[in-house]
Amino acid sequence: MPMIRLTVPSGALTEEGRRTVQRDLAAVLLRWEGAPDTAFFRAQAWSYLVELPEGAQTTAEDDAPRFLVDVTVPQGAVSERRKAGLVEDATRTVLEAAGLSPADALRVWVLVHEQPDGTWGAGGSVIRYADLVALAKGQQEQKGQQADA
């Protein structure tokens, strides 16, 4: 299942951005992963916000806030095209949450970590990518049948 962690310096997000960025980033991740928009899959898209204490982040040049988005997905879940879209949308989402412009995009780094098949577990069992694909397909079919009813 997808997981996203945003690390930011304390106070770097707007009040509204701090309130919404986690769900916004989770929605971006699910969309680019191609997961169905169901309560089950939304509940599995974990999103963490890590706020660093004052002075804990800097560069050799300045103290302007930088943002790190760590994304973990099953290996094979996102193609190169989808990764590019994910990075672009995650960057835009973080910039908006911080009240920054696209000119500040280099202050946002997005790292996509692909978890090898068979090394991810949940509910006491190893979860394989093929299991997730089958589950997603079943939920999409179920959603389609409900829409037809």
Side-chain angles (χ1 to χ4, degrees), residues 43-54:
Q44 306 316 309
W46 294 12
S47 182
Y48 295 89
L49 175 60
V50 179
E51 292 184 287
L52 302 173
E54 187 175 329

Side-chain angles (χ1 to χ4, degrees), residues 1-124:
M1 294 298 178
M3 182 174 60
I4 196 160
R5 178 173 293 137
L6 171 61
T7 304
V8 304
S10 182
L13 300 174
T14 66
E15 187 177 320
E16 174 69 12
R18 188 178 190 288
R19 194 169 47 254
T20 61
V21 71
Q22 288 175 266
R23 282 205 170 93
D24 292 346
L25 284 171
V28 164
L29 176 54
L30 285 171
R31 184 173 59 252
W32 284 106
E33 193 179 42
D37 185 17
T38 64
F40 174 80
F41 276 93
R42 287 190 304 271
Q44 306 316 309
W46 294 12
S47 182
Y48 295 89
L49 175 60
V50 179
E51 292 184 287
L52 302 173
E54 187 175 329
Q57 178 269 308
T58 189
T59 70
E61 175 64 19
D62 60 51
D63 294 331
R66 302 309 199 275
F67 306 85
L68 178 60
V69 182
D70 281 298
V71 179
T72 304
V73 296
Q75 191 170 30
V78 288
S79 65
E80 291 302 313
R81 180 189 66 79
R82 287 178 179 261
K83 281 180 199 172
L86 169 61
V87 168
E88 182 180 341
D89 284 355
T91 299
R92 182 174 39 252
T93 299
V94 171
L95 290 172
E96 289 172 1
L100 298 172
S101 75
D104 294 305
L106 283 177
R107 291 169 49 185
V108 180
W109 286 11
V110 180
L111 305 178
V112 179
H113 308 280
E114 293 189 87
Q115 192 69 30
D117 201 37
T119 64
W120 194 325

